[in-house]
């Protein structure tokens, strides 16, 4: 069974440029998560989707970050414009139902460097 | 708010040594507790979990016991291998509603031959 797929694995951009990350969850998983992982820190939730609906986006900086999950399958996270402080690893995860006893499966992440 | 505190790394051990990585939590209520492992270049993988007090999670020789009285979930392994070198994250989620993982800062383990 294929795991969570993310692309690109690495991205280097100049500040003020836009950037987008793509995630394809495990087939059949209704819940999709985007996390931000700063260097030396644990992941922090940015947004959670139940199918195509964003049900928890309280930690997403909405002035520059946006996300979508069209058709309830793969998802895109966008930053526009990027700032130096956005340099981090962006992780995608999915789970079958999102309920508290469920297991989240993580992708390898996209490492973003903003110059 | 809910939080997880892990011991600072790196933890450096020789092969076959005993491993303990400390994890304590703060939560309103009784959470489920998890250990995730991140090998170089890979995503986080669930290592083990415990959903209520006194439960013991175990996997691949690793164990952790949910201690409500000390609000702890320390990770242990009796004999580490070089292949165990990775970053280990302790995490919690509350048992009401949907899962929202709160992670610690991670502890890097380096095992030398």
């Amino acid at each position: 069974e294929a795991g969570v797929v993310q692309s690109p694995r690495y991205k280097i951009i100049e500040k003020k440029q836009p950037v987008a990350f793509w995630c394809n969850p495990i087939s059949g998983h209704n819940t999709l998560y985007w996390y931000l992982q700063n260097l030396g820190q644990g992941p922090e939730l940015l947004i959670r989707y139940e199918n195509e609906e964003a049900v928890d986006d309280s930690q997403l900086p909405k002035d520059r970050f946006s996300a979508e999950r069209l058709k309830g399958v793969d998802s895109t996270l966008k930053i526009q414009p990027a700032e130096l402080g956005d340099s981090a690893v962006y992780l995608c995860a999915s789970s079958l139902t999102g309920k508290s006893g469920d297991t989240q499966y993580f992708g390898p992440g996209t490492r973003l460097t903003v110059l | 708010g809910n939080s997880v505190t892990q011991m600072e790394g790196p933890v450096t051990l020789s092969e076959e040594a005993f491993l303990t990585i400390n994890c304590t939590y703060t939560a309103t209520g009784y959470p489920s507790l998890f250990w995730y492992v991140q090998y170089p270049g890979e995503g986080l993988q669930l290592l083990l979990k415990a959903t209520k007090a006194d439960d013991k999670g175990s996997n691949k020789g690793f164990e952790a016991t949910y201690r409500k009285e000390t609000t702890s979930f320390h990770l242990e392994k009796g004999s580490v291998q070089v292949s165990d070198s990775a970053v280990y994250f302790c995490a919690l989620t509350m048992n009401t509603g949907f899962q929202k993982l709160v992670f610690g800062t991670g502890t890097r383990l380096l095992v030398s031959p």
Side-chain angles (χ1 to χ4, degrees):
Chain A
E1 177 185 287
V4 176
V5 179
Q6 291 188 248
S7 68
R9 292 293 308 275
Y10 304 91
K11 188 74 176 178
I12 301 174
I13 61 171
E14 301 275 338
K15 64 181 180 183
K16 300 185 183 179
Q17 294 300 305
V19 65
F21 315 122
W22 177 79
C23 171
N24 188 252
I26 293 173
S27 177
H29 280 195
N30 294 326
T31 308
L32 184 146
Y33 311 78
W34 282 103
Y35 288 87
L36 165 68
Q37 186 177 15
N38 285 306
L39 187 65
Q41 301 294 315
E44 299 173 19
L45 182 68
L46 288 173
I47 188 168
R48 184 183 88 229
Y49 281 92
E50 294 295 330
N51 298 302
E52 65 273 9
E53 182 182 1
V55 295
D56 185 355
D57 63 354
S58 57
Q59 302 304 310
L60 190 72
K62 298 181 184 62
D63 56 335
R64 298 184 299 107
F65 286 66
S66 64
E68 61 183 12
R69 190 184 184 197
L70 300 176
K71 301 181 181 178
V73 182
D74 53 350
S75 176
T76 303
L77 178 68
K78 298 178 181 177
I79 309 175
Q80 181 169 12
E83 298 178 351
L84 295 176
D86 296 331
S87 295
V89 176
Y90 292 83
L91 297 169
C92 180
S94 70
S95 65
L96 197 58
T97 66
K99 296 271 190 329
S100 62
D102 216 353
T103 296
Q104 290 189 30
Y105 296 85
F106 284 79
T110 297
R111 182 177 297 275
L112 173 67
T113 302
V114 182
L115 302 176
Chain B
N2 302 324
S3 65
V4 174
T5 301
Q6 290 182 237
M7 61 189 292
E8 295 264 345
V11 173
T12 306
L13 295 172
S14 297
E15 205 164 25
E16 299 183 2
F18 184 85
L19 168 71
T20 300
I21 299 178
N22 290 338
C23 170
T24 57
Y25 67 89
T26 301
T28 52
Y30 302 106
S32 288
L33 301 171
F34 304 79
W35 277 101
Y36 277 81
V37 58
Q38 188 172 33
Y39 298 103
E42 299 184 16
L44 279 80
Q45 303 172 26
L46 178 64
L47 182 60
L48 52 85
K49 69 180 182 181
T51 58
K52 61 182 187 299
D54 300 325
D55 269 2
K56 177 186 283 188
S58 61
N59 186 26
K60 300 182 180 179
F62 291 89
E63 292 183 340
T65 301
Y66 187 162
R67 302 285 189 201
K68 186 176 70 174
E69 62 276 12
T70 54
T71 61
S72 65
F73 193 54
H74 305 321
L75 182 68
E76 296 182 336
K77 187 175 185 183
S79 175
V80 293
Q81 305 300 310
V82 173
S83 58
D84 293 327
S85 298
V87 181
Y88 292 81
F89 292 91
C90 186
L92 67 79
T93 188
M94 300 313 295
N95 285 320
T96 54
F98 288 94
Q99 187 178 94
K100 183 169 184 175
L101 287 171
V102 175
F103 286 89
T105 55
T107 303
R108 182 175 297 279
L109 171 65
L110 301 171
V111 181
S112 56

